[in-house]
Amino acid sequence: MVMEKTTSKTSSLQALLLRAWRERWTDLQWGINIKTVLPRGVSGDVYNLADCILQQAVVGDGANQLVLSYLRHSLSAQLVSHAAVLQRLSKYSQFGKVHCITSLLEFLEGMLSGVTCFGKPEETVLATAVLSIALWLLNILHNCSEAAGLIQKASELLKILLTDDFYISMICLAKYNDPELFQETSAKCTEVLSRLPEADEVTKYVAKLEHIDIHMLCLPVNSEKWPGSLVQCWLEVNLMKKPDMDASSLADQLQIFQRLKGFSDSRLFAELLRGSLLCFYNTNESPHDSRWEAITFLKVPHIIQELAAKSDSASVVNAIELILQHGPLLDLLDAKCSYSSLKYLLEELVKLRLISEPQAGHLLEIRKQSTSLKLDNGDRSKPRVVVCAETTFSGIINSLSTTEYHKVQEGMLGMFQQMLIAKNFQLILAAACSLGQLKTLVKRLIRFNECFNFLSQDKARIEQFDISFVMLVSIVQNFGVEVLDTDDESLIYEWVNECLVDRHMQKSPTQLLQISDPVIVEALIKQFNSCEGDFKPNLKHKNVLFNMPGVMHEVLVAWEQGALHPSDVKRILDAVRGKMCCLAIAGATYLCSYMRTVPQENLLKPKNMVQQLLQVPPIIPNPTAEEASLRDRWELTSEIIRKIERDIQLPTTKSSSNLMSRSPATECLHSTWNSAITNGWLDYDSARILHCLLDTAGPKWLVNAVIHELLKLRFREQLQRAVDLALAIFHVDIVACTTELLSHILPQLLFVDVQSFRLVEPQLSFLACLTSYCIYTAWDSVANERDDEPPMKMLRFENVEEPVTPAKKLIRSLLQLFSTFEKMEGGITPQTYFVYNLIKSLVEVKIQSANAILAYISPSLISGLLKTLPDLFSFPLLLHLHDVCTTTGRVNMAKDLCVLRNYQLKKCLRSY
């Protein structure tokens, strides 16, 4: 303990106190005379006034009430601080003086209702003083066990401290401000608990003090009705774009949603199961039916396995019981598939040991009792993906794992031919995506393809190269070039990057011609024109593929100049088609790229050439395995070429699956939005439209249009659904959409008079809630790009000559938004309420990154809001708003806690 400083002024105060006691001054006289000693505006704490008075008050066996009245008056006149008085009380350790202890407890009881700090630098000292008083009360419980009256009074006061939000906040603050004092207090709690009977009421307060922390002051959790819309809409939007996302990444995102919405484990699992079942049902008889069937029965159980790593099977069982409440959905799925969807879902959960077989049997019995649907036990009595594709995929991966393909060449060719039959290839890809094995499949297909890179007279080797090449191009088209290894030096990787055309990789025809070798082009034209059967043995497939643009260019120019007749062009293209499907793809890639750059009147001839390459061989009765394989391969090749046409947006292309709709973008979004709000879920076509709108109109337009639709709604239930839907929509590109929301849309809504009239309740608070959701989800998405610099350092990055990453754009827009809020003029306006609701939403969602986000909020902004809207603030809100782990955060927290405390005390005085 530091020795107390004694000054001449302290001596004068002690002398004045003795005189007051001898002459029996009233507290009013004391107040008048003390001002002759204390300088104007100087606190008595500087001269240990509280210490002087209390030392004099407890000289005898009992406390001197007259002297205590002087201390009480000094507190009322703010001559001493509450912190100083509490600190001095906590130092009294003569527990044998029962009467003194009793008087001091009564004095403490009288002052607890008004303990505060009035804008002085003692806020954090006050927090330590409150914790010291709690320790003092524990010492009384420990040392005065024989004095029942003291025990009762100390217990009552301890109860007051641990049931009042202000005192709990102060104790939490002191825990981080003075860790040693808290450790001493916690140890004393343990000691006291060992001596108190369990039935004693005070034990729960002592136990609470022992482990007190911020989480004990919980913020209200917004309970939402089951079911919600967020998870289903997010699944539809997210997995349409990236169906190959691994289960762990999806689980991480779902955990963010769980914290945003306050879902329990069982509720989260139920939302995930219901969402996947709805998505599966909405793809009825579509090309993506198998994909969603695989996601539902293969991927979702693995996601739950990731989420339930620290949970027990009870949460999964509870989730299934929630799903059983949606009998009509299960009935529709069972009728569609002709099998019990719940049964095979439960089988996968049992296989992953998420539930036991008896639990699965019990749940199936409940399902049987709630439905009268009789299922067909014919050919489709089991999910084709779960039973066939998963097993087949495992066999394919095992077969491709060998490096001695020449020894099993016949078996490999048969396997590839089977993969291309009907929709088998789609099913295999669906299973690969659901099991998180798509990149593994791609790597092994590339390795297989590389083994047959040299042209050969062996038709089986040519066919194996062709099939694997077509498969790989199809995978890249559907899942993006990201599925290829960037360090790869394979033929397919080089061809995709240099030649393949899609909406993300546009290439000029000149660029494609530059990689052609005129000598090889001339040789290829001669061979195609003469319809020779085989290529020269010294050529590689690479030589042919990379020179097909030159071949197509020469044929097209010769036709346009009249050097070739249409019959000649047809003969050459038939020869191209007759060799390998990969040649048709390489030729069509150049032609489509060429058509994108030429005038409308010059499109007819290249378009006819593409149509010639698209011709599928006619159906032959009882075809051989080679003929059947060629036809299946051509069907996949045609899909690839048609997608190339769609991606470059040819005006002559007529397809129901164009990226662009004939309707205006606003109408497309409006109809999609209204349908989702009415139904409570999003279908596949709507999700595709949203991705197209982002590609064509950009994130700024999309966010603005979505917010405009949200603000049209009037009812809270609709608005809650709209927040979920909007958050899911923004996941087409959550970082870009959030950046636009923060940097453009919100400032326009808040500060442009033409638009600010729309900021009314309840839309205002729901818009703030959506903003907080977007900030947290976008922040989590750029976790790997952030350097997590302090806010003041992040302001300087604009001056650094380095690329501005999406993470930095997000942080800059967030800083700019909070900076704009800070510059707002005083007064109560809709903008003020929006800022408060936004900060409140950011605090209520207490996820791991919350402190990093809240660090960007200026303390002056919080103080200004607190003074403007004090009735809306609470001690738990302030306690969670500031970072107690930093000195600055603790100082700002203590100041704001005392400001709110003073306001509440004044409000109580006015009410009397």
Side-chain angles (χ1 to χ4, degrees):
M1 183 180 294
V2 179
M3 185 176 294
E4 294 176 355
K5 183 179 179 181
T6 302
T7 65
S8 59
K9 189 68 69 174
T10 303
S11 300
S12 300
L13 289 173
Q14 290 173 342
L16 184 67
L17 185 60
L18 287 172
R19 180 185 171 193
W21 175 71
R22 285 196 304 268
E23 298 179 5
R24 301 297 189 269
W25 287 353
T26 63
D27 54 0
L28 182 59
Q29 289 175 304
W30 164 260
I32 294 172
N33 286 282
I34 191 65
K35 293 178 182 177
T36 63
V37 179
L38 286 179
R40 178 184 291 273
V42 176
S43 171
D45 293 350
V46 178
Y47 308 109
N48 300 318
L49 177 58
D51 192 28
C52 294
I53 297 174
L54 276 172
Q55 282 185 11
Q56 186 64 35
V58 294
V59 171
D61 292 335
N64 190 315
Q65 295 299 324
L66 179 62
V67 177
L68 285 179
S69 70
Y70 300 157
L71 181 59
R72 192 174 292 110
H73 180 84
S74 299
L75 270 175
S76 301
Q78 299 182 26
L79 297 176
V80 293
S81 67
H82 290 90
V85 175
L86 292 175
Q87 287 279 29
R88 187 60 191 85
L89 282 173
S90 66
K91 292 177 184 178
Y92 189 76
S93 59
Q94 299 182 38
F95 299 108
K97 292 184 177 182
V98 177
H99 296 293
C100 282
I101 295 292
T102 301
S103 298
L104 293 180
L105 286 175
E106 290 174 351
F107 182 85
L108 176 62
E109 183 180 21
M111 68 178 290
L112 279 183
S113 59
V115 170
T116 186
C117 184
F118 297 96
K120 297 176 182 178
E122 294 98 359
E123 290 98 347
T124 53
V125 179
L126 178 60
T128 305
V130 172
L131 181 57
S132 299
I133 277 295
L135 176 59
W136 183 61
L137 293 173
L138 290 173
N139 282 320
I140 293 175
L141 292 175
H142 183 263
N143 296 295
C144 304
S145 56
E146 296 180 359
L150 285 182
I151 296 297
Q152 182 179 358
K153 181 62 69 176
S155 299
E156 291 174 356
L157 295 179
L158 193 62
K159 178 180 178 181
I160 291 173
L161 290 179
L162 294 169
T163 53
D164 186 285
D165 286 352
F166 172 70
Y167 289 122
I168 295 175
S169 301
M170 283 294 177
I171 293 173
C172 290
L173 181 58
K175 174 181 178 179
Y176 293 90
N177 201 51
D178 194 341
E180 292 182 1
L181 178 60
F182 180 76
Q183 288 178 2
E184 183 183 354
T185 306
S186 181
K188 182 59 68 175
C189 287
T190 305
E191 192 175 354
V192 170
L193 285 172
S194 65
R195 301 183 61 177
L196 285 173
E198 294 183 4
D200 199 329
E201 183 185 8
V202 75
T203 55
K204 68 177 182 180
Y205 300 110
V206 176
K208 182 177 182 180
L209 178 59
E210 182 182 14
H211 303 288
I212 197 166
D213 205 354
I214 295 172
H215 67 271
M216 288 191 176
L217 276 185
C218 297
L219 294 165
V221 177
N222 297 324
S223 58
E224 295 184 13
K225 294 181 180 179
W226 156 261
S229 303
L230 174 59
V231 174
Q232 189 278 330
C233 295
W234 170 77
L235 281 173
E236 193 70 82
V237 170
N238 208 42
L239 290 182
M240 179 200 159
K241 181 181 179 182
K242 297 179 180 178
D244 57 326
M245 283 186 69
D246 59 277
S248 60
S249 299
L250 294 168
D252 291 341
Q253 183 64 66
L254 285 167
Q255 285 179 328
I256 295 293
F257 292 156
Q258 183 178 17
R259 297 187 184 101
L260 290 178
K261 311 294 284 185
F263 289 160
S264 63
D265 286 344
S266 57
R267 172 70 185 273
L268 179 67
F269 302 159
E271 291 284 358
L272 176 59
L273 290 167
R274 175 182 174 273
S276 63
L277 291 171
L278 266 175
C279 291
F280 177 31
Y281 176 72
N282 288 328
T283 56
N284 189 15
E285 301 303 329
S286 76
H288 306 279
D289 198 357
S290 58
R291 177 186 296 179
W292 271 109
E293 190 173 12
I295 289 172
T296 303
F297 293 105
L298 295 179
K299 185 183 284 287
V300 167
H302 282 87
I303 297 173
I304 295 177
Q305 186 182 37
E306 293 283 341
L307 292 169
K310 297 181 180 179
S311 180
D312 55 10
S313 61
S315 298
V316 182
V317 172
N318 292 337
I320 300 296
E321 289 175 348
L322 285 174
I323 293 297
L324 289 173
Q325 297 176 10
H326 292 263
L329 172 60
L330 295 174
D331 289 342
L332 289 170
L333 275 172
D334 293 350
K336 166 191 172 181
C337 306
S338 298
Y339 58 75
S340 173
S341 54
L342 181 65
K343 176 183 177 182
Y344 293 104
L345 186 59
L346 291 176
E347 284 184 358
E348 288 299 306
L349 296 175
V350 170
K351 188 187 303 181
L352 297 174
R353 298 182 179 179
L354 293 170
I355 60 174
S356 64
E357 291 188 6
Q359 288 173 326
H362 174 68
L363 292 168
L364 283 174
E365 285 298 322
I366 298 175
R367 169 66 180 147
K368 289 179 181 178
Q369 294 171 7
S370 62
T371 182
S372 59
L373 186 67
K374 293 183 179 180
L375 300 179
D376 179 16
N377 293 322
D379 294 337
R380 292 209 60 200
S381 59
K382 294 183 179 181
R384 62 181 184 277
V385 171
V386 173
V387 174
C388 300
E390 183 181 9
T391 305
T392 304
F393 175 75
S394 299
I396 292 170
I397 290 294
N398 291 333
S399 299
L400 288 172
S401 62
T402 181
T403 56
E404 298 178 346
Y405 299 118
H406 61 281
K407 294 183 179 180
V408 289
Q409 183 171 329
E410 185 177 346
M412 296 294 290
L413 181 58
M415 180 187 74
F416 278 118
Q417 290 173 346
Q418 287 295 318
M419 286 176 65
L420 287 176
I421 293 176
K423 299 297 182 180
N424 284 356
F425 186 55
Q426 290 184 3
L427 296 177
I428 296 301
L429 292 183
C433 290
S434 298
L435 297 171
Q437 296 284 323
L438 182 62
K439 286 193 174 182
T440 302
L441 175 63
V442 169
K443 286 181 180 179
R444 298 193 180 179
L445 279 175
I446 290 175
R447 188 174 65 182
F448 179 84
N449 182 261
E450 285 293 295
C451 290
F452 301 97
N453 194 6
F454 283 93
L455 286 166
S456 170
Q457 307 301 323
D458 186 350
K459 292 183 178 180
R461 293 177 62 87
I462 294 176
E463 186 176 353
Q464 290 182 44
F465 173 87
D466 199 30
I467 293 176
S468 57
F469 184 91
V470 173
M471 284 181 174
L472 285 166
V473 174
S474 177
I475 292 172
V476 170
Q477 273 195 331
N478 285 281
F479 301 99
V481 71
E482 296 82 10
V483 298
L484 301 178
D485 190 347
T486 55
D487 297 329
D488 196 359
E489 297 180 354
S490 62
L491 165 63
I492 187 67
Y493 181 80
E494 188 177 354
W495 186 85
V496 165
N497 282 280
E498 294 189 19
C499 301
L500 183 61
V501 176
D502 64 22
R503 65 179 183 275
H504 300 298
M505 297 187 296
Q506 299 287 2
K507 298 177 179 68
S508 68
T510 304
Q511 176 185 351
L512 296 177
L513 291 175
Q514 287 175 349
I515 61 177
S516 298
D517 184 342
V519 176
I520 298 178
V521 169
E522 184 178 357
L524 290 174
I525 291 176
K526 289 181 179 179
Q527 183 169 354
F528 292 137
N529 192 33
S530 62
C531 298
E532 294 179 7
D534 300 319
F535 291 102
K536 294 180 180 179
N538 60 338
L539 280 178
K540 289 184 178 181
H541 287 111
K542 177 180 179 179
N543 300 132
V544 180
L545 288 170
F546 280 83
N547 284 282
M548 285 307 298
V551 172
M552 294 296 106
H553 174 73
E554 293 297 329
V555 172
L556 177 60
V557 171
W559 188 15
E560 289 177 337
Q561 294 179 355
L564 288 177
H565 294 287
S567 58
D568 299 324
V569 174
K570 183 178 184 302
R571 184 180 65 257
I572 293 173
L573 294 179
D574 285 342
V576 171
R577 292 175 56 253
K579 301 294 183 182
M580 291 183 288
C581 294
C582 61
L583 302 186
I585 294 173
T589 298
Y590 169 77
L591 292 171
C592 290
S593 179
Y594 174 79
M595 286 188 285
R596 184 172 171 268
T597 61
V598 298
Q600 179 80 20
E601 59 271 14
N602 295 339
L603 287 176
L604 183 58
K605 285 183 172 61
K607 179 63 179 176
N608 285 334
M609 292 177 68
V610 172
Q611 293 303 316
Q612 179 69 22
L613 292 174
L614 275 170
Q615 289 184 11
V616 178
I619 298 176
I620 302 174
N622 302 319
T624 63
E626 181 181 350
E627 292 170 338
S629 173
L630 178 62
R631 181 173 180 82
D632 292 332
R633 192 158 74 251
W634 266 111
E635 288 181 355
L636 185 57
T637 301
S638 299
E639 291 179 10
I640 293 171
I641 296 175
R642 290 192 182 97
K643 190 172 189 306
I644 294 174
E645 286 185 295
R646 294 195 300 269
D647 282 350
I648 64 172
Q649 291 296 290
L650 294 179
T652 56
T653 301
K654 296 181 180 180
S655 173
S656 60
S657 56
N658 281 342
L659 290 175
M660 294 290 292
S661 170
R662 295 183 181 275
S663 302
T666 305
E667 291 183 10
C668 289
L669 178 67
H670 180 72
S671 60
T672 299
W673 175 271
N674 284 346
S675 175
I677 291 295
T678 302
N679 297 329
W681 42 263
L682 203 64
D683 58 27
Y684 176 84
D685 290 335
S686 298
R688 187 183 65 83
I689 289 173
L690 293 172
H691 281 280
C692 294
L693 289 175
L694 178 72
D695 288 339
T696 55
K700 183 177 180 180
W701 178 90
L702 180 64
V703 175
N704 185 56
V706 168
I707 297 300
H708 180 74
E709 293 290 343
L710 183 145
L711 294 177
K712 289 180 183 178
L713 303 174
R714 292 291 178 266
F715 301 104
R716 288 187 174 274
E717 186 175 350
Q718 285 185 328
L719 285 165
Q720 181 60 65
R721 185 176 292 175
V723 168
D724 292 347
L725 176 59
L727 180 60
I729 290 174
F730 293 162
H731 271 80
V732 294
D733 191 340
I734 186 62
V735 178
C737 288
T738 302
T739 302
E740 294 295 341
L741 175 66
L742 299 177
S743 58
H744 294 102
I745 309 306
L746 284 178
Q748 290 177 5
L749 274 174
L750 293 169
F751 305 113
V752 176
D753 293 337
V754 179
Q755 298 193 42
S756 60
F757 73 93
R758 292 190 285 173
L759 287 176
V760 294
E761 285 292 356
Q763 292 89 336
L764 182 146
S765 57
F766 280 97
L767 177 60
C769 181
L770 172 62
T771 304
S772 69
Y773 288 175
C774 290
I775 289 172
Y776 280 128
T777 50
W779 185 264
D780 182 73
S781 297
V782 296
N784 295 329
E785 302 175 25
R786 301 193 316 259
D787 50 15
D788 288 335
E789 288 283 356
M792 295 308 297
K793 290 186 178 181
M794 286 306 304
L795 288 171
R796 302 174 187 170
F797 72 77
E798 292 181 359
N799 299 325
V800 181
E801 294 183 359
E802 60 180 23
V804 181
T805 63
K808 289 185 176 180
K809 289 181 181 179
L810 178 66
I811 294 172
R812 178 172 56 187
S813 61
L814 188 62
L815 284 169
Q816 288 176 343
L817 183 67
F818 285 134
S819 177
T820 305
F821 290 159
E822 192 176 354
K823 295 175 184 177
M824 289 192 312
E825 297 180 358
I828 300 177
T829 62
Q831 290 80 1
T832 311
Y833 278 102
F834 175 82
V835 177
Y836 165 77
N837 279 288
L838 175 58
I839 292 177
K840 179 172 176 285
S841 297
L842 288 171
V843 174
E844 287 176 346
V845 180
K846 200 64 176 171
I847 63 176
Q848 292 178 351
S849 56
N851 287 336
I853 297 293
L854 296 176
Y856 293 112
I857 304 176
S858 168
S860 59
L861 174 60
I862 300 170
S863 298
L865 284 173
L866 179 58
K867 294 172 183 176
T868 306
L869 302 170
D871 287 315
L872 299 181
F873 279 85
S874 65
F875 293 113
L877 178 61
L878 292 174
L879 186 63
H880 289 81
L881 180 55
H882 296 281
D883 186 3
V884 293
C885 296
T886 64
T887 303
T888 304
R890 291 193 293 271
V891 171
N892 291 324
M893 181 193 296
K895 181 182 67 175
D896 289 342
L897 288 172
C898 290
V899 168
L900 182 58
R901 172 73 166 179
N902 293 335
Y903 172 78
Q904 291 181 349
L905 291 175
K906 289 179 182 178
K907 189 176 179 181
C908 290
L909 288 175
R910 294 193 201 104
S911 62
Y912 285 117

